[in-house]
Amino acid sequence: MSHDTAARHPVATPQQGGGEEGGDQPSGGRASFEFGGECRFCEMTRQHHPQCARRLPKRIILVRHGESQGNLDMSAYTTIPDYRIPLTALGAEQARAAGRGIRDVVASGGGNWKVYFYVSPYERTRATLREIGRAFPRDRIIGAREECRVREQDFGNFQVEERMRAVKETRQRFGRFFFRFPEGESAADVFDRVASFLESLWRDIDMGRLDQDPSCETNLVIVSHGLTSRVFLMKWFKWTVDQFERLNNFDNCEFRVMQLGPGGEYSLLVHHTKEELEQWGMSREMIADQQWRAAANRRSWAEECSSFIDSFFDDPKDSESSSEEEEEKENGKIKELE
């Protein structure tokens, strides 16, 4: 980069710099639009330089809706379309408590902070957002947007209770990720639309749609559904299908906090404990990856990120020389037998 270009490149504060989280940046939306829509630092290094203009949210918080009438009584789905299933009184109470909990999390560092909401278009998620919103003063809310791509997994239209029980039993045998409900979706289908949403989210971040105030700490809250939230995390952290299958659903109004570590990586371990993640179903390898993200010194993603290598290879060799030594030993054994 020339001196003239560097001088004109927008400079971010250390808190504003961040990593290419999730690796799902759209090709047309780099960190700065001053030079033909590309941030040259990021384009050259595949990671974000402290001088990049991108300002990442301090936290991305995923919330499952409160208890719904369908959670309480599956027969509700036989007469009410899934997207119209309402919250119960307990669900509304859970949502208000979640709002207070989220406010405590985002306000924990003090200073100037605000929140921006994305919400699934279903009645139970919109009602959950309304109750969560009671915990926040109006001047702390940047905005809210309905986002169809974070809706519930489609199970079909009106659902006959006995048939759905049988179908879900079949799903347990087939595998939760790839099983597609008749007239509905598989978790793999949800993954595809969540991937599309992430591309839009990066554009929103890059274009400053979530926050125009550089002195403000932004927190993004996504009010969605259990499976959709797990798929979001799977896509972001590049979990395998087997790793996804390990995880349990969030409880009603339970939330997960992805928070930026000092090196610019999002991690669940900045806010949550190892014990919480273990109870959720995360493996030691997945937790180790979260530890790396929580304390990563941003140098080379390829050198430091685990990429879950052990999930794909049996006993991978540390180096080419060690492989050659093993081969020589095997050849020696063959000659002895001869």
Side-chain angles (χ1 to χ4, degrees):
M1 180 178 290
S2 68
H3 175 77
D4 180 60
T5 300
R8 290 184 293 121
H9 195 84
V11 177
T13 64
Q15 193 174 26
Q16 293 166 353
E20 191 169 349
E21 309 302 330
D24 295 301
Q25 177 153 341
S27 58
R30 299 295 175 189
S32 170
F33 286 82
E34 250 185 285
F35 312 107
E38 292 184 353
C39 168
R40 300 189 183 185
F41 283 118
C42 306
E43 190 64 24
M44 290 188 293
T45 66
R46 303 301 300 165
Q47 65 185 36
H48 291 287
H49 191 278
Q51 286 186 325
C52 285
R54 165 178 284 176
R55 296 184 64 252
L56 295 172
K58 176 72 172 180
R59 301 172 188 86
I60 299 176
I61 302 175
L62 301 164
V63 193
R64 186 188 177 194
H65 60 81
E67 181 189 73
S68 71
Q69 191 62 43
N71 295 141
L72 197 62
D73 180 9
M74 279 189 62
S75 66
Y77 293 104
T78 64
T79 56
I80 307 173
D82 194 357
Y83 71 95
R84 290 182 178 172
I85 295 287
L87 288 183
T88 63
L90 174 60
E93 184 181 328
Q94 290 171 333
R96 288 191 290 273
R100 294 190 293 271
I102 293 169
R103 182 198 59 204
D104 290 344
V105 169
V106 301
S108 60
N112 186 14
W113 58 267
K114 291 189 179 182
V115 291
Y116 190 100
F117 295 96
Y118 284 96
V119 61
S120 158
Y122 281 34
E123 171 57 30
R124 56 188 179 273
T125 42
R126 289 175 61 94
T128 297
L129 174 59
R130 284 194 293 271
E131 299 303 326
I132 286 175
R134 297 179 188 277
F136 296 90
R138 181 63 186 85
D139 62 354
R140 293 288 190 177
I141 301 175
I142 302 168
R145 186 183 306 171
E146 182 176 285
E147 176 51 69
C148 285
R149 288 169 293 182
V150 297
R151 69 183 185 273
E152 175 66 288
Q153 178 182 9
D154 290 333
F155 298 107
N157 297 315
F158 291 105
Q159 302 165 26
V160 178
E161 186 175 357
E162 295 76 13
R163 182 168 179 259
M164 285 302 293
R165 290 185 191 278
V167 169
K168 288 182 177 180
E169 288 175 4
T170 304
R171 178 181 61 171
Q172 289 299 108
R173 299 196 304 272
F174 189 91
R176 289 184 299 168
F177 189 77
F178 292 111
F179 180 85
R180 179 176 285 116
F181 283 86
E183 302 175 350
E185 289 183 304
S186 66
D189 295 323
V190 178
F191 182 97
D192 292 340
R193 56 176 161 86
V194 166
S196 170
F197 165 63
L198 272 169
E199 292 181 357
S200 299
L201 177 59
W202 280 117
R203 281 194 293 274
D204 286 346
I205 292 171
D206 286 338
M207 298 182 73
R209 291 169 178 159
L210 304 186
D211 187 8
Q212 301 294 330
D213 183 357
S215 67
C216 180
E217 181 181 280
T218 306
N219 297 272
L220 179 62
V221 181
I222 303 174
V223 184
S224 183
H225 307 263
L227 180 133
T228 309
S229 297
R230 282 182 288 146
V231 166
F232 181 99
L233 292 168
M234 175 191 183
K235 174 62 178 171
W236 189 284
F237 293 121
K238 303 185 185 303
W239 291 336
T240 67
V241 171
D242 286 343
Q243 288 168 334
F244 168 84
E245 295 274 8
R246 295 178 56 96
L247 304 176
N248 304 310
N249 238 354
F250 297 6
D251 290 332
N252 290 119
C253 274
E254 188 177 11
F255 55 86
R256 293 284 183 272
V257 180
M258 300 163 53
Q259 184 166 325
L260 279 175
E265 286 289 339
Y266 284 98
S267 172
L268 295 166
L269 266 176
V270 177
H271 176 79
H272 300 283
T273 66
K274 290 182 186 179
E275 291 72 25
E276 285 179 297
L277 299 185
E278 286 173 353
Q279 289 173 6
W280 186 35
M282 289 181 66
S283 67
R284 285 183 297 177
E285 186 182 20
M286 296 165 76
I287 292 174
D289 179 64
Q290 294 299 314
Q291 286 179 300
W292 176 84
R293 292 171 181 274
N297 292 316
R298 178 154 294 286
R299 293 197 293 274
S300 169
W301 176 274
E303 290 177 5
E304 294 189 7
C305 184
S306 72
S307 297
F308 304 115
I309 290 175
D310 292 342
S311 298
F312 299 95
F313 302 103
D314 293 329
D315 191 24
K317 301 296 185 294
D318 292 333
S319 65
E320 185 177 350
S321 60
S322 63
S323 298
E324 291 174 353
E325 290 172 3
E326 290 292 330
E327 187 175 349
E328 288 176 4
K329 288 179 181 179
E330 288 298 322
N331 290 336
K333 290 178 182 179
I334 293 171
K335 287 180 179 179
E336 287 177 6
L337 290 173
E338 292 175 347

